Amino acid sequence: MVLVFLAEGFEEIEALTPVDLLRRAGLDVRTAAVGHAPDGCRTVSGSHGIPVTADALAEEFLDGSSPLEAVILPGGMPGAKNLDADGTVDAILAKAAADPDCVIAAICAAPMVLGRRGLLDGIRATCFPGFEGELKGAAVLRADTPEGRAVTDGRFVTACGMGAATEFAFALVKILKGEDAAEGLRTAVLAK
């Protein structure tokens, strides 16, 4: 299963583009509302005021009963800060980091969450300009270069922002389903 975190203020395109394309690729993708446990509400508003109803609450994935193929952290503000401050996100990221087969992905400002936890040490990564200092230990590729838009390094995928959301999603399809699946999907959605 691929888990996509949705925290208040997430960037809608950065979250929903990967959800859409990964589901088209046949992956089991679930969205998880972050920080909503007290009232049980699964509706999360993006940074542009678009409400999205998540498939579940993030807390529902703490027990590990659903094996993770990947976790995805969308950016946006204050979405990335809300991810960074959430204990449930920490716990799930720790489980993902401990599993060498689990893909860990973040886009825009969200790679800071990975960097602050030491997950990017020695990893080539990118982020939204201005957050480079938060990518502790990473070899940061500049967002204004072709190679710095969407970066795959081993099981880590990062991207620079909303404008690279499609590239980010295709990089995830490639790592999770293979090059042929990614190219077939590119052709099917007229992305090439």
Side-chain angles (χ1 to χ4, degrees), residues 143-191:
D144 62 351
T145 64
E147 59 275 359
R149 293 183 52 76
V151 179
T152 300
D153 189 344
R155 65 185 180 125
F156 291 88
V157 180
T158 54
C160 64
M162 188 260 308
T166 303
E167 295 162 73
F168 179 63
F170 283 121
L172 286 163
V173 172
K174 181 178 176 182
I175 199 170
L176 293 166
K177 296 281 285 192
E179 179 72 38
D180 289 345
E183 285 307 307
L185 185 57
R186 278 184 193 278
T187 299
V189 300
L190 304 176

Side-chain angles (χ1 to χ4, degrees), residues 101-175:
D101 295 325
C102 186
V103 173
I104 299 174
I107 184 170
C108 192
M112 77 173 180
V113 177
L114 306 180
R116 289 179 175 181
R117 284 147 185 82
L119 298 177
L120 297 177
D121 192 32
I123 301 294
R124 293 178 325 112
T126 192
C127 62
F128 192 81
F131 288 90
E132 297 88 350
E134 300 290 343
L135 277 58
K136 305 290 187 237
V140 180
L141 281 72
R142 290 180 30 171
D144 62 351
T145 64
E147 59 275 359
R149 293 183 52 76
V151 179
T152 300
D153 189 344
R155 65 185 180 125
F156 291 88
V157 180
T158 54
C160 64
M162 188 260 308
T166 303
E167 295 162 73
F168 179 63
F170 283 121
L172 286 163
V173 172
K174 181 178 176 182
I175 199 170

Side-chain angles (χ1 to χ4, degrees), residues 15 29 34 54 86 111 116 149 182:
V29 181
V34 172
D86 191 84
R116 289 179 175 181
R149 293 183 52 76

Side-chain angles (χ1 to χ4, degrees), residues 2 4 6 12-31 52 55 72 165-166 168-170 172-173 177 185-186 188-191:
V2 176
V4 181
L6 301 179
E12 294 92 341
I13 289 174
E14 294 169 3
L16 299 178
T17 298
V19 169
D20 180 294
L21 290 172
L22 291 171
R23 284 182 177 173
R24 288 174 193 251
L27 289 156
D28 176 13
V29 181
R30 299 189 199 160
T31 55
V52 175
D55 297 315
I72 301 174
T166 303
F168 179 63
F170 283 121
L172 286 163
V173 172
K177 296 281 285 192
L185 185 57
R186 278 184 193 278
V189 300
L190 304 176

